[in-house]
């Protein structure tokens, strides 16, 4: 398959982009980090890691986790993660122009913070996704446990019978995981490690530790290198296979006893991360007002769906390994796992279709 290359925006700067642009971007992201942190504290730490969506199952989980937060706190936590990711990604892409010791020490701490704050939301979104899939597969209109017990609806085969117990099992497991993630996030936000990160970002907001050569260096070769890494990673993907929707090759591993992540997923997850680094590099060069590449935007959305479906399938497989569950419950979880792996294949197909399109930008 011919390799698809990324084209720079048509309004690229004519002259070299120096370290001043890099410093300005990092200062802006550090300022946003501090602003989000201040807003997060003003609205209450307990609310800072509340997940965005609130279905009925999640509302019950919130009461168990002790969340009493507002939408402002959720937005602040999300903005905190977003700025931390951008700072970390920019330090990675342009590390030759930054103080090496400071940059290498800062990046893992920002990654730790972003991952810790994102975990609670991920568990809540995963539960919502899996319960919605169970409802769709069983023909239920509500939470499977409630549908079977409260509505008195007639059972529609083994899937509906097992879906009620499967939904309850997933609710217990993912709610417990979400509660633990909530506690871990609160502990992290009060730790000396987090305060050290915040202090470093505060320094970054006023002084960026550039190397002496950064003042005259051109940023574009480093940004182009990030683009090349993305292009090479996409070229290594099995896009020919992904061009056939629902090929379901990923079902080979199924519900095996091996709990390791699915071997087919890792290259796609890596492309998602590289696409994010490419986007951050473009923000450094052209600013947030640069034209939007619709092709890359849709490709990124497909990769996000791929990640969510792969993690949901892993959660269903993990639940199916629970000892002494009823056969109908295991059957429903197996169907749910297969459904999410089909969603993985559909996301790969969507990515392949978008990646092969010509670049389209909007002003």
């Amino acid at each position: 398959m011919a390799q698809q290359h990324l084209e720079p925006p048509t309004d690229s700067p004519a002259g070299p982009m120096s370290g001043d642009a890099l410093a300005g971007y990092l200062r802006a992201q550090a300022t946003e980090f501090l602003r989000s942190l201040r807003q997060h504290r003003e609205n209450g730490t307990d609310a800072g890691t509340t997940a965005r969506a609130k279905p009925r199952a999640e509302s019950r989980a919130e009461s168990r986790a002790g969340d009493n937060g507002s939408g402002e706190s959720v937005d602040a936590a999300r903005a905190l993660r977003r700025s931390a990711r951008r700072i970390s990604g920019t330090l990675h892409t342009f590390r030759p122009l930054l103080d090496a010791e400071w940059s290498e020490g800062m990046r893992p701490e920002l990654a730790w913070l972003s991952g810790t704050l994102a975990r609670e939301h991920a568990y809540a979104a995963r539960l919502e996704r899996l319960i919605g899939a169970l409802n769709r597969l069983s023909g239920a209109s509500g939470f499977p446990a409630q549908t079977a017990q409260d509505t008195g609806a007639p059972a529609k085969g083994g899937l509906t019978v097992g879906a009620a117990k499967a939904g309850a099992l997933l609710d217990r497991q993912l709610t417990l995981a979400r509660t633990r993630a909530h506690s871990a996030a609160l502990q992290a936000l009060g730790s000396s490690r987090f305060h050290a990160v915040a202090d470093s970002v505060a320094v970054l907001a006023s002084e960026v530790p550039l190397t002496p050569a950064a003042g005259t260096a051109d940023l574009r070769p480093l940004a182009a290198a990030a683009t090349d890494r993305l292009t090479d990673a996409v070229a290594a993907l099995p896009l020919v296979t992904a061009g056939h929707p629902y090929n379901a090759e990923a079902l080979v591993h199924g519900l095996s006893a091996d709990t390791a992540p699915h071997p087919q997923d890792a290259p796609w997850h890596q492309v998602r991360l590289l696409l994010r680094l490419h986007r951050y590099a473009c923000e450094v060069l052209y600013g947030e007002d640069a034209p939007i590449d619709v092709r890359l935007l849709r490709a990124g959305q497909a990769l996000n769906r791929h990640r969510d479906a792969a993690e949901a399938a892993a959660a269903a497989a993990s639940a199916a390994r629970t000892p002494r569950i009823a056969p109908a419950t295991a059957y429903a979880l197996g169907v749910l796992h297969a459904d999410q792996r089909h969603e993985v294949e559909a996301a790969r197909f969507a990515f392949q279709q978008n990646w092969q399109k010509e670049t389209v930008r909007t002003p």
Side-chain angles (χ1 to χ4, degrees):
M1 178 175 292
Q3 185 170 339
Q4 180 77 44
H5 293 279
L6 301 178
E7 299 176 0
T10 55
D11 57 348
S12 301
M17 297 287 294
S18 68
D20 292 340
L22 174 61
Y25 181 82
L26 286 173
R27 282 195 297 267
Q29 294 302 322
T31 301
E32 174 64 18
F33 180 98
L34 297 174
R35 186 198 66 80
S36 302
L37 178 59
R38 182 171 59 253
Q39 182 182 2
H40 182 275
R41 287 171 173 169
E42 290 173 353
N43 288 279
T45 304
D46 248 10
T49 53
T50 304
R52 180 189 303 179
K54 292 180 171 35
R56 283 175 291 185
E58 184 178 343
S59 296
R60 295 195 303 274
E62 285 184 352
S63 63
R64 298 167 194 163
D67 285 332
N68 298 306
S70 63
E72 290 80 3
S73 301
V74 177
D75 293 339
R78 191 177 301 117
L80 197 63
R81 300 197 309 266
R82 183 168 57 243
S83 56
R85 288 197 306 265
R86 278 169 165 75
I87 295 172
S88 178
T90 303
L91 296 182
H92 175 78
T93 300
F94 299 98
R95 60 186 179 276
L97 304 180
L98 296 157
D99 179 78
E101 182 178 356
W102 174 85
S103 178
E104 292 303 317
M106 187 73 169
R107 280 175 47 215
E109 295 303 290
L110 290 169
W112 161 76
L113 175 61
S114 178
T116 301
L117 294 180
R119 201 164 294 126
E120 181 187 0
H121 169 77
Y123 283 125
R126 197 170 305 151
L127 176 60
E128 181 185 9
R129 180 187 184 94
L130 289 170
I131 295 302
L134 277 175
N135 291 337
R136 170 172 48 81
L137 293 168
S138 62
S141 58
F143 186 70
Q146 291 181 326
T147 302
Q149 298 172 8
D150 300 340
T151 65
K156 297 181 179 180
L159 180 59
T160 301
V161 174
K165 295 183 178 179
L169 177 60
L170 289 168
D171 185 36
R172 288 195 303 271
Q173 292 185 347
L174 292 177
T175 294
L176 177 60
R178 180 177 180 270
T179 302
R180 290 174 175 171
H182 178 84
S183 300
L186 294 182
Q187 292 176 1
L189 291 174
S191 66
S192 58
R193 183 179 183 182
F194 170 74
H195 288 295
V197 174
D199 291 342
S200 298
V201 174
V203 173
L204 181 63
S206 58
E207 182 181 357
V208 179
L210 297 174
T211 62
T216 57
D218 192 352
L219 302 181
R220 290 177 296 185
L222 293 175
T227 302
D228 292 341
R229 287 192 291 270
L230 170 62
T231 304
D232 293 342
V234 173
L237 293 176
L239 291 185
V240 174
T241 301
H244 303 284
Y246 308 105
N247 62 66
E249 286 188 6
L251 293 177
V252 172
H253 293 266
L255 298 176
S256 67
D258 187 5
T259 59
H262 199 287
Q264 288 189 10
D265 295 339
W268 294 86
H269 295 334
Q270 180 66 15
V271 168
R272 177 177 171 272
L273 295 177
L274 292 175
L275 181 57
R276 177 180 288 176
L277 292 178
H278 166 74
R279 188 172 73 249
Y280 297 163
C282 289
E283 290 180 2
V284 173
L285 295 184
Y286 312 111
E288 294 183 359
D289 296 330
I292 299 174
D293 190 329
V294 178
R295 179 174 66 93
L296 292 184
L297 178 63
R298 292 176 177 172
Q301 292 170 346
L303 291 174
N304 288 339
R305 294 195 302 272
H306 175 276
R307 187 270 317 268
D308 294 343
E311 292 179 347
S318 177
R321 297 186 186 97
T322 303
R324 297 182 298 278
I325 60 175
T329 305
Y331 171 71
L333 290 169
V335 172
L336 181 61
H337 173 268
D339 173 75
Q340 292 304 301
R341 290 312 305 186
H342 279 299
E343 291 291 332
V344 167
E345 296 293 337
R348 293 177 182 178
F349 175 73
F351 175 85
Q352 189 267 356
Q353 294 294 298
N354 282 293
W355 188 261
Q356 300 304 320
K357 292 180 179 177
E358 295 295 328
T359 300
V360 178
R361 290 187 172 88
T362 60

